[in-house]
């Protein structure tokens, strides 16, 4: 079965160019092409890559964010509603600024807001400038940059050159408004235990 629309923008993702290269354009263009080529439809069809949103109310909520992106001055590069049902094409905005709602709030739908940066410090600052911190992703061929950015990002999970990887033995959870504690792994058992301190004077 094909997956439904992405659950939410868990944090922010960055595509890092080589040192000295500013404002990489290729990742944005690749994202636009991928969004335009993704097949949206019946989730029971094996050829479908993205199914519907969960309800008409959910669809309308996500479309309200698309309208907000337009109103705030972002440029729509791909996506939009699909006639009939609760479908929405993968939607890509560029010319997004950090103050826009589509950059600051959790949309819970297939909407990508592209923010550009000139160097690693700016990329980290933009990624951390949010109240959420469940997960983040970095795409780069520079391993040193991957380590540097991963350490600096305020997110519970950081994926490098991949996304949505996980295992039951590895803890998963967020920072800031994205929750407390961890699911999965032995760390999750802490939520089901109580600590007790006993003082005895002899």
């Amino acid at each position: 079965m094909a997956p439904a629309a992405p659950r939410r923008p868990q944090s922010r993702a960055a595509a890092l160019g080589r040192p000295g290269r500013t404002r990489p354009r290729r990742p944005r263009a690749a994202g636009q092409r991928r969004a335009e080529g993704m097949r949206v439809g019946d989730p029971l069809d094996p050829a479908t890559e993205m199914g519907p949103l969960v309800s008409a109310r959910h669809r309308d909520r996500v479309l309200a964010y698309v309208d907000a992106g337009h109103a705030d001055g972002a440029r729509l590069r791909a996506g939009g509603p699909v006639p009939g049902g609760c479908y929405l094409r993968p939607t890509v905005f560029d010319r997004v600024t950090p103050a826009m709602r589509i950059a600051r709030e959790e949309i819970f739908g297939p909407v990508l807001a592209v923010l550009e940066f000139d160097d690693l410090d700016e990329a980290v600052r933009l990624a951390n400038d949010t109240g959420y911190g469940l997960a983040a992703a970095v795409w780069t061929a520079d391993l040193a940059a991957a380590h540097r950015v991963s350490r600096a990002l305020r997110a519970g999970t950081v994926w490098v050159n991949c996304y949505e990887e996980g295992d039951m033995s590895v803890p998963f959870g967020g920072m800031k408004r994205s929750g407390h504690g961890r699911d999965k792994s032995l760390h999750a058992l802490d939520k089901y235990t109580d600590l007790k301190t006993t003082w005895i004077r002899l």
Side-chain angles (χ1 to χ4, degrees):
M1 180 179 293
R7 293 169 295 168
R8 56 181 159 178
Q10 297 168 337
S11 185
R12 294 187 178 174
L16 307 178
R18 294 193 295 272
R21 174 175 293 180
T22 61
R23 298 194 180 277
R25 304 289 180 177
R26 290 177 58 192
R28 181 181 64 187
Q32 179 182 345
R33 289 194 301 271
R34 181 70 181 98
E36 291 172 340
M38 187 172 290
R39 180 166 177 174
V40 179
D42 183 352
L44 298 180
D45 183 346
T48 295
E49 295 179 274
M50 191 174 73
L53 299 176
V54 298
S55 66
R57 181 180 179 183
H58 183 197
R59 177 202 60 204
D60 293 344
R61 180 181 183 275
V62 176
L63 286 174
Y65 276 102
V66 174
D67 291 340
H70 280 295
D72 289 341
R75 180 173 62 174
L76 181 66
R77 298 300 299 261
V82 177
C86 299
Y87 295 93
L88 184 68
R89 295 185 182 91
T91 301
V92 179
F93 280 100
D94 67 0
R95 296 181 181 171
V96 178
T97 64
M100 292 181 182
R101 287 183 62 199
I102 59 172
R104 302 203 65 80
E105 300 180 16
E106 290 189 315
I107 300 176
F108 291 89
V111 179
L112 175 66
V114 179
L115 291 87
E116 296 183 352
F117 55 88
D118 287 321
D119 54 37
L120 293 184
D121 290 336
E122 185 182 8
V124 169
R125 180 180 60 78
L126 289 171
N128 287 337
D129 184 23
T130 172
Y132 304 100
L134 183 57
V138 178
W139 279 266
T140 181
D142 186 335
L143 185 59
H147 281 291
R148 175 184 169 189
V149 173
S150 297
R151 285 193 299 269
L153 290 173
R154 295 286 298 160
T157 296
V158 178
W159 292 293
V160 178
N161 297 334
C162 59
Y163 200 74
E164 293 278 359
E165 297 292 335
D167 185 89
M168 286 302 297
S169 64
V170 180
F172 182 80
M175 299 180 179
K176 298 181 280 189
R177 293 171 62 190
S178 290
H180 302 281
R182 293 294 181 267
D183 293 324
K184 303 190 297 186
S185 82
L186 291 176
H187 294 276
L189 297 179
D190 291 341
K191 294 185 292 186
Y192 301 96
T193 61
D194 290 318
L195 294 176
K196 177 182 286 186
T197 300
T198 301
W199 292 82
I200 301 177
R201 176 176 292 176
L202 298 176

